[in-house]
Amino acid sequence: MNERDFADLAVGHALHALTEADERAYQEALAGNPHWDHHVREAADTATAISSAIEPVEPPPSVRAALFARISDLPQEPAASNASSAAADQGRDDEDYAAAGTAPVAPMRAAEPARPSPASGWGVRRWFALAASFAAVLVLGFGAVTVSQLFTPPAAVVALEQIEKAPDAQSATATMADGTVATAHWSPSTGQSVLVTDGMPALADGTTYELWFVRGQTPIAAGTFEPDADGNATAVLQGEMHVGDIIAVTIEPAGGSPDGTPSSEPVVAVATA
């Protein structure tokens, strides 16, 4: 890894955006080249300036989901192109040294090799341009968030991934009369349940969707949620799901039912048995 690649990784580290492999490569390169630590300080200072420039607020799920979709669509440069770029950089460096004449020779010091990473193809300017563009979009749209919030998956997404990886993962889907499609995901071993909706109708001001476990004839409140502009949502149900529960959704006043019982008929009902 050359110094330019390390500087790119330092920026990704400051933005909390490195993969596990990239983070290992970054730490190994820093341990082998401690004189590169000025890149770490510069990247951290710049990231702090971006995140502290405006007052942070919690981003709505729809914006965060859009950001993750944008990240996944960004082109990634293959490792081969990174290697070619590094070779070209080295060639230019050699030419520069040759033009400068003989330089004092410093004792060689072994450095722990670090594996090449896709992040090294980004470049410092692209990392910060991406972070700055996200900040601009968020400020114009609804306020500001910290850099770390941008790269933290929503709790519902994390819970869904854990359920899907569990050996006892189960799911059930129901289509409502209005075209809404709702899928319940649950796993006894993880103790979690998640409802994923597609096409939920927009709500009137001052109302919200509320989740329920319907156990026999007893509804048990399980939290509220708001879908995005397309009616899509991924929501964690709060509380313990029992085998045979019906997962239902009702429309309630903002903040949820005031007395802990449904005030309207379910608009979604998914049987789990």
Side-chain angles (χ1 to χ4, degrees):
M1 178 184 297
N2 59 34
E3 187 171 356
R4 179 180 297 178
D5 290 342
F6 176 80
D8 293 348
L9 287 178
V11 175
H13 175 80
L15 296 176
H16 306 284
L18 295 182
T19 64
E20 184 176 338
D22 290 337
E23 183 66 25
R24 282 198 304 270
Y26 163 80
Q27 295 294 346
E28 291 171 359
L30 180 58
N33 302 277
H35 56 290
W36 289 351
D37 63 348
H38 63 94
H39 293 294
V40 178
R41 294 191 301 271
E42 291 168 1
D45 289 345
T46 305
T48 299
I50 292 174
S51 62
S52 63
I54 39 186
E55 186 68 21
V57 298
E58 180 65 23
S62 59
V63 173
R64 184 177 287 174
L67 291 177
F68 278 101
R70 179 174 175 181
I71 292 172
S72 65
D73 290 339
L74 288 169
Q76 301 294 315
E77 297 181 14
S81 66
N82 292 337
S84 299
S85 176
D89 292 341
Q90 184 62 47
R92 286 193 294 270
D93 290 343
D94 292 343
E95 292 174 3
D96 292 341
Y97 288 137
T102 304
V105 178
M108 294 185 64
R109 176 172 51 81
E112 182 70 19
R115 289 177 294 276
S117 148
S120 64
W122 276 65
V124 175
R125 291 183 180 178
R126 290 190 66 189
W127 273 113
F128 278 127
L130 179 62
S133 66
F134 284 171
V137 168
L138 294 171
V139 170
L140 293 173
F142 66 92
V145 298
T146 61
V147 171
S148 61
Q149 285 178 294
L150 298 179
F151 296 97
T152 303
V157 173
V158 174
L160 181 58
E161 291 176 350
Q162 292 173 344
I163 291 172
E164 291 177 334
K165 292 178 181 178
D168 57 352
Q170 300 180 63
S171 66
T173 299
T175 301
M176 305 299 108
D178 62 3
T180 298
V181 177
T183 302
H185 300 262
W186 69 95
S187 161
S189 64
T190 66
Q192 299 181 104
S193 52
V194 170
L195 183 69
V196 178
T197 65
D198 180 9
M200 295 285 286
L203 288 169
D205 291 342
T207 60
T208 188
Y209 284 116
E210 185 159 8
L211 295 156
W212 304 88
F213 293 118
V214 181
R215 194 162 298 155
Q217 299 298 316
T218 304
I220 302 169
T224 62
F225 71 96
E226 294 182 10
D228 63 18
D230 296 323
N232 302 327
T234 301
V236 176
L237 284 90
Q238 301 169 8
E240 183 181 0
M241 175 184 168
H242 289 188
V243 176
D245 283 352
I246 294 175
I247 294 177
V249 178
T250 60
I251 299 175
E252 303 294 340
S257 171
D259 62 1
T261 61
S263 62
S264 63
E265 292 297 314
V267 295
V268 168
V270 181
T272 64

